[in-house]
Amino acid sequence: IQANNYPMHCAPAWDLITTAALVAQASIVIAPDTGLLHLADFLNTPTIGIFGPTLAERHGPFLSKTNINNTIQVSCPHRYAKIHGASADAHNCMFDLEAAMVVDKIHALLGQSKEPV
């Protein structure tokens, strides 16, 4: 991201009102299936939602068509499992999430790609 001169901000722990104000001003929010993702969707801030053990179609975002279309669903046969096997070699499905998947969505949302959003 630094090579493309995208400013990146990491917020400290804030209350809901302060967090909502920050999210409302953001160009884009990238988040897993959490309250932050749903707050951004409610505030009509462009999002990229990342889902693995949970399902995007069941857990949102639900309000913005763009946000719905910009979810990344990582294939996971262990739906809703916190732990993916007891052995040391158990595969965590979220390891299948590739940076390029997220970067392509960022470029599309920021208008730097011909890929539809």
Side-chain angles (χ1 to χ4, degrees):
I1 292 178
Q2 184 65 32
N4 293 317
N5 296 317
Y6 294 133
M8 188 172 183
H9 306 280
C10 294
W14 287 338
D15 60 45
L16 181 59
I17 293 171
T18 305
T19 302
L22 176 68
V23 168
Q25 295 175 35
S27 300
I28 187 173
V29 171
I30 303 167
D33 180 15
T34 63
L36 188 60
L37 176 72
H38 301 292
L39 178 63
D41 189 42
F42 178 77
L43 295 171
N44 204 30
T45 299
T47 67
I48 298 172
I50 300 172
F51 295 82
T54 58
L55 293 171
E57 62 190 30
R58 177 180 279 177
H59 298 284
F62 299 116
L63 302 176
S64 164
K65 185 172 181 170
T66 298
N67 291 345
I68 293 166
N69 291 338
N70 279 308
T71 59
I72 298 173
Q73 181 69 61
V74 177
S75 178
C76 180
H78 314 99
R79 291 285 168 229
Y80 305 102
K82 298 286 183 194
I83 299 173
H84 287 54
S87 67
D89 63 342
H91 179 72
N92 183 331
C93 299
M94 293 308 287
F95 291 149
D96 293 336
L97 176 67
E98 296 178 13
M101 300 163 86
V102 179
V103 170
D104 288 345
K105 296 276 187 186
I106 293 169
H107 284 189
L109 274 174
L110 296 178
Q112 299 179 355
S113 170
K114 297 191 185 334
E115 175 185 327
V117 292

